[in-house]
Amino acid sequence: MTQVTFPTVVAKFGGTSVADFDAMDRSADVVLSDTDTRLVVLSASAGVTNLLVALAEGLQDAERYIKLDAVRAIQYAILDRLSDPHTIREEIDRLLDNLTTLAEAAALAPSPALTDELVSHGELMSSLLFVEVLRDRGAEAQWFDARKIMRTSNRFGRAEPDINALAELAQQQLAPRLAQSLIITQGFIGSDVNGRTTTLGRGGSDYTAALLGEALSACRVDIWTDVPGIYTTDPRIVPAAKRIDRIAFEEAAEMATFGAKVLHPATLLPAVRSDIPVFVGSSKDARAGGTLVCKKTEHPPLFRALALRRKQTLLTLHSLNMLHSRGFLAEVFSILARNNISVDLITTSEVNVALTLDTTGSTSTGDTLLTSALLTELSSLCRVEVEEDLALIALIGNSLCAASGVGKEVFGVLDPFNIRMICYGASSHNLCFLVPGSEAEQVVQKLHRNLFE
Ligand code: ASP
Ligand code: MG
């Protein structure tokens, strides 16, 4: 088995970093400026995945042609700026023809497997084009089909990677190529044991990069996006938000899980497991620096950041029968598990449970996860109340449970707002609560002013 012996950086570029020719050109600068970068993982060009998801849902003729034209226009605009578009036009046209056929099939009978097959074309096209952008600049770059090594379950739309298979396949098929040239591959897509195309869930390219970094024992994973790092909160909500230069894995993982859009929530799992630092920066302005996510930071602050996740659904379950109270929770959870629902936050009293649903990584929002089958099953056990349009705010920090005065500082600020549920105590890295969606931004602004400015 070939082991990679030189320092390997895996660099991932998100949709905005490969949105058009100029963005690809800037991303090429970033790749070529660091000779340790051996493997490049790409998203689809911005907007393409959304168009493909719409096509996969099954559109009627007129709408379908509009979306297909829009995809073609994005890819052709890049193709036409290459010095020799002919070399790759045939390949792109073949993929666009495939798309037309798949979109027709989806209009007749959409399915999760078909969706993944269709949606994978975004990454296939962006990666083919990026290879040519690099070659135009004299770089030696090879295209690699990530599906050859990213072995996953067949849970289409949200497939789970098989870490051991990936490690073995990456060492066999990818490592030897890395020694020869720069390799350009796709994020987000994989394949099951039968060779059918799968995807890791929306935004999954970050996760691919981290998994490949782990499989290849990379020394760093760079995530290039359109913001120069991780901020104390979303700067669009709070302009005074500050960039965090270094942050520990646990804190960054909490931020991603609780809605900070910078990293896909699963990204840090492989990084933590294998202790690989993750750098986050902007491909628009690589020199502006970014955030390094690593094992430890010096002087971790009590309050680190605020994350906001919208569109939360709260389920409150009241046991119908006191006799059921023994084993009530167990029964609730087995129903949820049978319905493939992952619970996010939970608070309980003896015969009541309040919980929110975990929608991270899937294309669904909380309300679409709540199928009528699930509600019927739950209703046989308990009275079910559903509240929608809540927002989850998470205060991320360190030793939050051990420090005194956290409650007073936080809830003092929140006094005028209507708080629906609080989770505090399970993790020393977060304190989170639900507020009405319409008040969320105000709450974040007020908390940021009081705790971070
Ligand atoms: N292109 C996919 C998406 O838009 C994956 C990614 O960009 O990470 O969700
Ligand atoms: Mg993305």
Side-chain angles (χ1 to χ4, degrees), residues 218-270:
C219 63
R220 199 178 69 237
V221 172
D222 291 346
I223 305 284
W224 294 100
T225 169
D226 54 356
V227 288
I230 301 178
Y231 281 67
T232 49
T233 195
D234 185 343
R236 283 166 303 187
I237 300 175
V238 181
K242 290 188 273 279
R243 183 173 67 213
I244 302 165
D245 292 329
R246 268 176 180 259
I247 184 169
F249 285 135
E250 290 93 351
E251 299 172 279
E254 299 271 353
M255 288 182 73
T257 309
F258 287 110
K261 292 271 154 51
V262 195
L263 287 178
H264 180 278
T267 309
L268 293 170
L269 297 173

Side-chain angles (χ1 to χ4, degrees), residues 14-156:
T16 50
S17 300
V18 291
D20 51 32
F21 183 85
D22 293 323
M24 282 199 179
D25 208 36
R26 280 192 300 269
S27 297
D29 280 336
V30 174
V31 170
L32 299 175
S33 69
D34 183 350
T35 49
D36 289 345
T37 300
R38 311 294 307 164
L39 177 64
V40 176
V41 175
L42 298 184
S43 288
S45 301
V48 169
T49 306
N50 287 345
L51 289 163
L52 298 179
V53 168
L55 285 166
E57 277 160 7
L59 297 174
Q60 289 319 303
D61 292 358
E63 267 301 303
R64 198 166 73 236
Y65 301 143
I66 292 173
K67 301 270 196 262
L68 285 165
D69 280 347
V71 172
R72 182 177 300 113
I74 294 171
Q75 308 301 323
Y76 270 22
I78 301 171
L79 191 72
D80 289 338
R81 300 256 319 259
L82 294 171
S83 64
D84 181 13
H86 305 291
T87 49
I88 194 75
R89 170 157 276 148
E90 216 173 287
E91 192 63 19
I92 295 291
D93 280 342
R94 191 184 60 78
L95 289 169
L96 288 166
D97 287 347
N98 266 352
L99 268 183
T100 308
T101 313
L102 292 167
E104 271 168 30
L108 296 174
S111 79
L114 184 54
T115 299
D116 280 2
E117 180 63 39
L118 201 157
V119 165
S120 70
H121 284 61
E123 272 70 12
L124 293 174
M125 290 190 287
S126 65
S127 54
L128 281 166
L129 290 164
F130 193 66
V131 169
E132 297 307 315
V133 170
L134 285 164
R135 287 183 181 161
D136 261 3
R137 302 170 56 139
E140 220 175 280
Q142 297 294 332
W143 186 84
F144 184 81
D145 190 334
R147 292 172 296 186
K148 286 199 201 154
I149 58 172
M150 186 57 74
R151 180 63 48 75
T152 70
S153 69
N154 63 2
R155 188 176 171 195
F156 297 104

Side-chain angles (χ1 to χ4, degrees), residues 12 15 43-44 49 123 188 201-206:
K12 178 260 172 177
S43 288
T49 306
E123 272 70 12
F188 181 53
R202 290 305 303 268
S205 296
D206 293 353

Side-chain angles (χ1 to χ4, degrees), residues 131-192:
V131 169
E132 297 307 315
V133 170
L134 285 164
R135 287 183 181 161
D136 261 3
R137 302 170 56 139
E140 220 175 280
Q142 297 294 332
W143 186 84
F144 184 81
D145 190 334
R147 292 172 296 186
K148 286 199 201 154
I149 58 172
M150 186 57 74
R151 180 63 48 75
T152 70
S153 69
N154 63 2
R155 188 176 171 195
F156 297 104
R158 213 176 169 178
E160 298 100 353
D162 176 340
I163 316 290
N164 296 326
L166 171 63
E168 208 181 305
L169 292 167
Q171 285 302 335
Q172 273 167 13
Q173 303 200 34
L174 190 52
R177 288 170 210 250
L178 289 176
Q180 286 152 19
S181 82
L182 194 55
I183 302 291
I184 314 303
T185 194
Q186 310 78 40
F188 181 53
I189 69 173
S191 69
D192 71 1

Side-chain angles (χ1 to χ4, degrees), residues 229-384:
I230 301 178
Y231 281 67
T232 49
T233 195
D234 185 343
R236 283 166 303 187
I237 300 175
V238 181
K242 290 188 273 279
R243 183 173 67 213
I244 302 165
D245 292 329
R246 268 176 180 259
I247 184 169
F249 285 135
E250 290 93 351
E251 299 172 279
E254 299 271 353
M255 288 182 73
T257 309
F258 287 110
K261 292 271 154 51
V262 195
L263 287 178
H264 180 278
T267 309
L268 293 170
L269 297 173
V272 173
R273 258 193 322 252
S274 307
D275 191 11
I276 303 171
V278 175
F279 173 83
V280 182
S282 165
S283 65
K284 279 193 189 129
D285 188 7
R287 262 162 302 182
T291 300
L292 189 69
V293 189
C294 48
K295 199 170 189 168
K296 272 200 171 66
T297 64
E298 272 176 30
H299 314 298
L302 179 60
F303 300 127
R304 177 65 95 180
L306 283 166
L308 167 63
R309 202 203 278 160
R310 298 175 207 267
K311 291 225 171 111
Q312 299 298 289
T313 302
L314 180 67
L315 273 189
T316 318
L317 311 176
H318 312 268
S319 169
L320 293 175
N321 187 339
M322 284 300 283
L323 290 176
H324 265 141
S325 61
R326 181 177 303 156
F328 174 59
L329 282 180
E331 234 172 302
V332 166
F333 276 97
S334 67
I335 293 176
L336 293 168
R338 270 204 301 283
N339 285 273
N340 242 323
I341 296 258
S342 146
V343 172
D344 191 26
L345 296 183
I346 175 159
T347 60
T348 64
S349 69
E350 194 176 352
V351 290
N352 299 306
V353 193
L355 51 88
T356 63
L357 309 181
D358 181 4
T359 55
T360 47
S362 81
T363 39
S364 323
T365 55
D367 35 316
T368 50
L369 286 175
L370 279 182
T371 58
S372 56
L374 168 67
L375 290 176
T376 313
E377 211 176 324
L378 282 174
S379 301
S380 66
L381 179 72
C382 52
R383 184 159 59 78
V384 184

